[in-house]
Amino acid sequence: MTPKNCFTIAAILGAIGIAFGAFGAHGLPGVLVSLGQSEAIAEQRMQLFETAVRYQMYAALALLGFALANEQWPSKTWWWAQLMLLVGAVVFCGVLYGLVFFEGPLRAVLGMTAPVGGALMIGGWIAAALASRKVDANRTVRSA
């Protein structure tokens, strides 16, 4: 993905995160009560929702940084870092959002999927570290 596209996606991801955060603070408690959740379960699900929003915002900010880095030091590795972080955030956060609202067997399947998103996000950060090392290697070669 180009730096411009990554920046746009990061901005949209951040805007959605802010909107979801506002909903979580103001609307979600009423929705959970209307779904018949006990206070204890509603509180657990509120915390899960907050975790999803927090990781979504971390990913949005990181994608902004990855886009800037890719603009400055273009590399296929930055592309992979961006892609893995984005897909990982969508999967991980999407699963957590789903766990807030769904019950039964679907909830169990979602719970097993969350680590895939987390692993992809970790992979994105590792790819970013590798891309940054390539920058140093390229500078050393150029200056020699």
Side-chain angles (χ1 to χ4, degrees):
M1 109 182 47
T2 66
K4 181 179 177 181
N5 289 343
C6 185
F7 210 91
T8 301
I9 290 167
I12 292 168
L13 195 64
I16 292 169
I18 296 293
F20 280 15
F23 168 72
H26 302 289
L28 184 59
V31 170
L32 293 175
V33 168
S34 71
L35 291 173
Q37 301 296 325
S38 70
E39 250 184 71
I41 290 176
E43 181 60 34
Q44 289 173 346
R45 296 205 176 173
M46 290 284 298
Q47 290 174 0
L48 196 58
F49 195 87
E50 289 173 13
T51 298
V53 169
R54 186 172 55 251
Y55 275 81
Q56 182 173 336
M57 293 304 296
Y58 292 158
L61 294 171
L63 283 170
L64 292 174
F66 288 9
L68 291 172
N70 193 22
E71 181 72 25
Q72 181 70 30
W73 307 290
S75 164
K76 190 73 166 174
T77 310
W78 282 116
W79 183 88
W80 280 108
Q82 294 166 5
L83 183 64
M84 286 191 292
L85 184 64
L86 175 61
V87 172
V90 168
V91 170
F92 182 76
C93 298
V95 165
L96 294 187
Y97 292 132
L99 289 172
V100 171
F101 296 104
F102 293 112
E103 297 291 340
L106 181 57
R107 188 164 163 55
V109 170
L110 285 173
M112 291 185 294
T113 308
V116 173
L120 283 168
M121 287 193 296
I122 292 166
W125 282 104
I126 291 170
L130 293 173
S132 70
R133 298 303 302 160
K134 285 183 177 183
V135 168
D136 288 342
N138 289 340
R139 282 186 180 165
T140 303
V141 169
R142 287 183 192 153
S143 64

